[in-house]
Amino acid sequence: MIEILSSILASDLLSVGAEVQRMLDNGVDSLHVDIMDAHFVPNLSFGPAMVSALKKAFPAVHQDVHLMMDNPEKYLDTFISAGAGAVTVHAEVPGDVRAMLAKIRAAGIKAGVSIKPGTGVDTIKELLPLCDLVLVMTVEPGFGGQKFMADMMPKIAALRELGYRGQIMVDGGINADTAAQAVAAGADALVMGTALLRAEDPAAVVRACRALEGRT
Ligand code: DX5
Ligand code: ZN
């Protein structure tokens, strides 16, 4: 099954609740919440209060929380209790990523690891048994609206070659065309911001992505 996630970063921030409802009405499965600390990436976005506000308004909707921060271990409990359904940490952060993944899983939610474009899959080989999802960044993390990096696709095949059977998520510059490339490479979770929220017909974008089912 392909999971289609709407990134709230591309929403009209004065109307996040309405934007989320609009995306759900257009057929997305779940929400992707980008947390940026201005250190790990050169941008600031949301904090745990966004996750808890979304949880309160949309209790049944899965929230995939992407932590782009230098010290995620200090905030895991906060994001877990705020209502995250999955928490992804970056492989590049200092600290014990293995322990972070174990802690996330122990809380009964999905644990993910993400790799920036410059990070190879070999770096996370040992972590794979602890992961429910691997997030392959297809842009440099930090901003929405960037161009998809097609040269990241071999990482997806490499993860499967390593025997990894969990979810592979792509994030950055995903639209119906680039989603097709990612799914053909073996991805099964698509994060979409700009291409979905700014689309004239978001339902058509979702339908085009759903039609990729089985093309891996
Ligand atoms: C970028 C974020 C993405 C972003 C994607 O650092 O991790 O989730 O929202 O936005 P688009 O789809 O516009 O590239
Ligand atoms: Zn993201």
Side-chain angles (χ1 to χ4, degrees):
M1 268 285 281
I2 295 177
E3 181 179 355
I4 300 176
L5 302 98
S6 172
S7 173
I8 62 165
L9 193 67
S11 323
D12 170 357
L13 295 181
L14 290 182
S15 316
V16 174
E19 290 280 74
V20 168
Q21 189 58 57
R22 184 168 73 89
M23 289 306 116
L24 293 170
D25 293 344
N26 279 290
V28 305
D29 297 306
S30 45
L31 304 176
H32 179 82
V33 188
D34 287 310
I35 309 295
M36 304 181 182
D37 68 349
H39 290 272
F40 184 73
V41 289
N43 196 5
L44 271 170
S45 61
F46 317 116
M50 177 60 90
V51 176
S52 45
L54 289 167
K55 185 71 185 172
K56 196 171 166 209
F58 303 97
V61 177
H62 175 77
Q63 288 188 57
D64 174 70
V65 176
H66 178 193
L67 297 181
M68 284 163 276
M69 51 198 298
D70 268 342
N71 52 352
E73 70 280 2
K74 285 195 183 165
Y75 293 88
L76 295 179
D77 287 328
T78 313
F79 282 103
I80 291 164
S81 41
V87 173
T88 295
V89 295
H90 266 270
E92 301 85 1
V93 298
D96 188 351
V97 175
R98 172 178 287 274
M100 297 178 216
L101 293 169
K103 183 173 189 172
I104 298 164
R105 264 196 175 170
I109 64 170
K110 285 162 76 173
V113 72
S114 181
I115 47 176
K116 298 207 282 188
T119 305
V121 292
D122 277 352
T123 320
I124 58 166
K125 208 168 154 182
E126 312 294 318
L127 300 173
L128 294 176
L130 289 163
C131 293
D132 302 297
L133 74 94
V134 174
L135 174 52
V136 174
M137 289 305 302
T138 42
V139 296
E140 282 298 341
F143 299 91
Q146 303 182 76
K147 192 173 177 290
F148 175 78
M149 298 166 79
D151 52 340
M152 295 299 115
M153 296 299 93
K155 288 186 185 180
I156 297 172
L159 284 165
R160 295 301 185 207
E161 272 156 31
L162 287 170
Y164 173 70
R165 293 282 163 262
Q167 231 181 0
I168 300 181
M169 188 178 285
V170 284
D171 183 13
I174 302 296
N175 55 39
D177 293 335
T178 57
Q181 296 177 49
V183 171
D188 54 6
L190 308 167
V191 175
M192 280 190 284
T194 310
L196 196 61
L197 282 126
R198 310 277 161 87
E200 249 176 58
D201 186 356
V205 178
V206 172
R207 271 198 305 276
C209 292
R210 292 252 180 258
L212 300 170
E213 193 76 61
R215 301 256 188 102
T216 46

